[in-house]
Amino acid sequence: MEILYKSTRGNNETVTASKAILQGLSADGGLFVPTQIPSLDMDMETLAKMTYQEVAYEVMSRFLTDFTKEELQDCIEKAYDEKFDTRDIAPIVKADGTYYLELFHGATIAFKDMALSILPHLMTTAARKNQVKNDIVILTATSGDTGKAALAGFADVPGTKIIVFYPKDGVSPIQEKQMVTQKGSNTYVVALEGNFDDAQTGVKQMFNDAELAEELLQAGCQFSSANSINIGRLVPQVVYYVYAYASLVKNKEIEPQETVNVVVPTGNFGNILAAYYAKQMGVPIDKLICASNENKVLYDFFTTGTYDRNREFILTSSPSMDILISSNLERLIYHLTGDDSEQNRAFMDALSKDGKYTITDAMKTKLADFYGNYAGEEETAQTIRRIYETAGYIIDTHTAVAASVYQKYKRDMRDDKKTLLASTASPFKFTRSVMNAIDHSYDEMTDFELVDELAKIARVKVPQAIEDIRSAPVLHDTVVEKDEMKGIVRKILGI
């Protein structure tokens, strides 16, 4: 069955998966969605016998139907290799009565590696399939993790350049060091005097700038995106929810077809949308528990049906979730309208103009799959400390937000169903926040002293991603204001 893609804001025009991946964002400003969610149509006992790479093929081949078997398997083999420090790729750890799906065993120790390890290969394959001769310029905004994972994935990939914007004071010291020390003749990192939403808005404006697009074409370039607005980012994320469920079956933690809940810490909504797509494919998932930090725009949406970004932007210890414009929510809104692009466009226009929109009562009834809540800074720290003291397991701040929200879910809903929790980053990526949560006596240590102490108390090896940046020189030191983003892109590309 062929799966095509259409815009959440467009008419009924469709494109192939490879063209959707190449474009990243539709020309009308919408996001590409599949014309239908394919069925998994395989029993879990069969999937349970497969490797991560084999499950990846079964899932992705159903979405990316214009890729040949050989093309897709080649992309998968290049992506999920020794870059990951565990053969399982996405192992599950049982702790504190929950199944933690560890998505941080890739090159940059965050869940973005799961998709950004394969996106460059999907994109270059898509370019060949569509006879694209231009250089692909990856233009992306990051709240911390996407930037480094994208840089690592695209570094020195022929026919590509990558420009990453990040909020100067909105990422952790380790996240920033990872980005500004990135090697690669085609990599460019720019700090922005603003927050993540400023960076994301600026990037979207450049994607929709017809004059800039023409200048790029004259220079032999074209934009694409590595953010989760790119369907080539989202589809690989569906894989690990399918694999995780199959792993629980394999390890006899659940019976085949037994329903489980899934908890996801999210700001941009892409990671939990992937779980929603996995459920639509047929994975027996019951509740999708959406965990927010103090920037609780998603919690408020699930509680009231109104999405309102008109509020204070709060810098937290879980910076990858410090987001007020959750771009991937648009895909869910589109599905809630019954795939009505005109109605969806009206919501998005209202968001752009007024900063908010309210969905209809009929759409609210379709949110029954979801539960939303949030965790404050002190709750997050207490959760890290509690799980370390009671289970000897150390989690990062984002995972702690999810673990805290899960406790609220169990209290509110009285549901003890077995639950999978997406652990989205290594605690080594947010060492100071994690160690301060465990014991404030660590305040005087340097960042890398804290790294060594964390390894000691967790009884684990320091990840190679951290070792690599201990003494690495800063290679990127450009800082710009919001209104200078287009100018610096022109300068980088020589146009």
Side-chain angles (χ1 to χ4, degrees), residues 67-85:
F67 284 74
T68 67
K69 181 177 182 179
E70 292 72 25
E71 286 171 338
L72 194 50
Q73 286 181 333
D74 181 60
C75 291
I76 290 167
E77 287 170 12
K78 288 175 178 174
Y80 304 113
D81 57 12
E82 66 278 358
K83 291 190 293 294
F84 288 81
D85 63 18

Side-chain angles (χ1 to χ4, degrees), residues 47 50-62 72 76 80 118 235-236 239 243:
L47 285 165
M50 294 184 179
T51 64
Y52 190 90
Q53 293 84 346
E54 290 168 338
V55 173
Y57 175 76
E58 295 300 336
V59 174
M60 294 175 66
S61 63
R62 285 162 171 74
L72 194 50
I76 290 167
Y80 304 113
I118 195 168
V235 169
V239 172
Y243 177 76

Side-chain angles (χ1 to χ4, degrees), residues 150-168:
L151 288 161
F154 282 92
D156 292 322
V157 171
T160 69
K161 293 183 175 69
I162 176 165
I163 305 170
V164 171
F165 288 93
Y166 75 94
K168 182 73 182 80

Side-chain angles (χ1 to χ4, degrees), residues 110-349:
F111 82 101
K112 306 295 174 73
D113 289 322
M114 302 299 295
L116 284 166
S117 292
I118 195 168
L119 182 61
H121 305 294
L122 293 175
M123 198 167 283
T124 52
T125 301
R128 289 195 302 271
K129 292 176 74 67
N130 291 278
Q131 291 80 51
V132 171
K133 304 301 182 186
N134 293 332
D135 279 356
I136 306 297
V137 178
I138 304 301
L139 186 66
T140 197
T142 184
S143 54
D145 288 336
T146 287
K148 174 59 181 178
L151 288 161
F154 282 92
D156 292 322
V157 171
T160 69
K161 293 183 175 69
I162 176 165
I163 305 170
V164 171
F165 288 93
Y166 75 94
K168 182 73 182 80
D169 299 313
V171 300
S172 79
I174 295 290
Q175 286 176 310
E176 183 172 44
K177 188 80 184 287
Q178 283 187 304
M179 286 188 284
V180 299
T181 59
Q182 176 65 50
K183 297 177 182 177
S185 60
N186 65 335
T187 64
Y188 305 89
V189 181
V190 182
L192 186 72
E193 295 287 6
N195 60 40
F196 170 74
D197 289 332
D198 296 325
Q200 183 167 253
T201 298
V203 165
K204 281 190 172 182
Q205 286 172 346
M206 282 187 274
F207 266 99
N208 294 322
D209 188 322
E211 180 184 349
L212 184 58
E214 183 58 34
E215 292 176 24
L216 283 165
L217 285 175
Q218 294 298 322
C221 301
Q222 64 187 67
F223 280 145
S224 192
S225 173
N227 282 79
S228 53
I229 56 175
N230 192 317
I231 198 69
R233 265 280 307 274
L234 192 60
V235 169
Q237 291 180 266
V238 179
V239 172
Y240 50 72
Y241 291 110
V242 177
Y243 177 76
Y245 186 93
S247 295
L248 291 175
V249 171
K250 177 182 179 180
N251 296 330
K252 301 192 182 325
E253 296 290 343
I254 59 173
E255 295 296 323
Q257 298 310 307
E258 179 181 348
T259 56
V260 300
N261 295 325
V262 173
V263 191
V264 187
T266 186
N268 217 16
F269 205 73
N271 202 2
I272 196 166
L273 182 70
Y276 173 77
Y277 276 11
K279 177 173 181 172
Q280 299 303 305
M281 289 188 82
V283 178
I285 295 170
D286 186 13
K287 282 292 183 185
L288 296 157
I289 301 167
C290 180
S292 302
N293 65 15
E294 289 182 358
N295 292 289
K296 55 188 181 69
V297 63
L298 287 169
Y299 163 66
D300 291 341
F301 168 72
F302 283 115
T303 304
T304 67
T306 295
Y307 190 93
D308 188 352
R309 64 174 173 83
N310 299 309
R311 62 186 69 202
E312 179 189 359
F313 186 94
I314 303 169
L315 294 175
T316 74
S317 61
S318 47
S320 298
M321 297 162 64
D322 290 347
I323 295 171
L324 296 181
I325 304 174
S326 304
S327 291
N328 258 292
L329 185 64
E330 178 172 348
R331 285 186 167 110
L332 179 65
I333 297 299
Y334 173 79
H335 294 313
L336 295 178
T337 65
D339 295 359
D340 184 333
S341 57
E342 286 189 22
Q343 189 177 8
N344 176 71
R345 179 185 282 277
F347 288 131
M348 296 307 121
D349 286 347

Side-chain angles (χ1 to χ4, degrees), residues 80-91 102-109 113 426 428 460-465:
Y80 304 113
D81 57 12
E82 66 278 358
K83 291 190 293 294
F84 288 81
D85 63 18
T86 170
R87 184 178 293 182
D88 290 345
I89 306 296
E102 293 189 341
L103 300 172
F104 53 76
H105 288 276
T108 74
I109 57 175
D113 289 322
S426 164
F428 286 95
V460 296
K461 184 181 176 183
V462 176
Q464 192 58 44

